[in-house]
Amino acid sequence: MTPPQRRRRYPSQEIPEPPPTPSKEDHEGDTKAPERLYVVAGPDGERADIDLVTLIVARADPPPSATPEQTAMLRLCTAPLSVAELSAYLSLPFSVVTVLLTEMLTAELVQARAPIVRQALPDRSLLEAVMHGLQRL
């Protein structure tokens, strides 16, 4: 049996037109550049001992003085979320999230919990019951 042959795609001779550039008339008030990460995170100071699997839980509602990122974190953390999940949901690097969480921990807006550690090995009787159940099938 011979494997299927790959066919090379030949690009068309036409050059695609570049997408139109947005004009200033399209975005009247949206000419603001995105914030730099050091502006979001603030001055680099001490950081709490947080790793990717530390669970974060909100303890209070967002205060009026909270930044938009901190407000988003507090709203997401009504149920325990790991720092990795927060970083992914907010599209922020882990280092920025740890700086923001350190500020929120000192203000007692959130609580950091150690992750739930499962037993290394399951109970032998459970494994035997599963094995016997599979053998009956």
Side-chain angles (χ1 to χ4, degrees):
M1 181 173 195
T2 60
Q5 298 293 321
R6 292 186 180 191
R7 294 184 181 171
R8 183 175 295 257
R9 293 184 186 173
Y10 293 101
S12 63
Q13 300 298 330
E14 298 176 16
I15 299 173
E17 294 182 22
T21 57
S23 63
K24 290 185 180 180
E25 299 160 357
D26 294 341
H27 304 289
E28 294 173 0
D30 296 341
T31 58
K32 184 179 172 187
E35 296 290 341
R36 302 274 184 208
L37 291 178
Y38 60 83
V39 173
V40 172
D44 193 23
E46 292 185 26
R47 293 184 187 175
D49 188 22
I50 298 174
D51 57 355
L52 287 171
V53 293
T54 302
L55 298 176
I56 305 296
V57 182
R59 296 179 72 187
D61 291 330
S65 62
T67 64
E69 292 81 12
Q70 289 175 337
T71 304
M73 275 191 209
L74 287 171
R75 289 189 178 144
L76 284 172
C77 291
T78 54
L81 278 179
S82 70
V83 178
E85 290 173 314
L86 281 174
S87 177
Y89 288 145
L90 296 174
S91 300
L92 291 173
F94 173 72
S95 58
V96 173
V97 173
T98 55
V99 171
L100 292 172
L101 285 173
T102 301
E103 293 174 4
M104 294 168 63
L105 283 168
T106 56
E108 296 182 353
L109 295 174
V110 295
Q111 179 181 10
R113 297 181 183 172
I116 300 170
V117 179
R118 305 266 183 218
Q119 289 182 352
L121 297 173
D123 186 25
R124 182 179 175 93
S125 61
L126 176 66
L127 290 176
E128 288 176 355
V130 170
M131 183 180 70
H132 293 302
L134 289 173
Q135 287 174 346
R136 288 186 207 148
L137 293 176

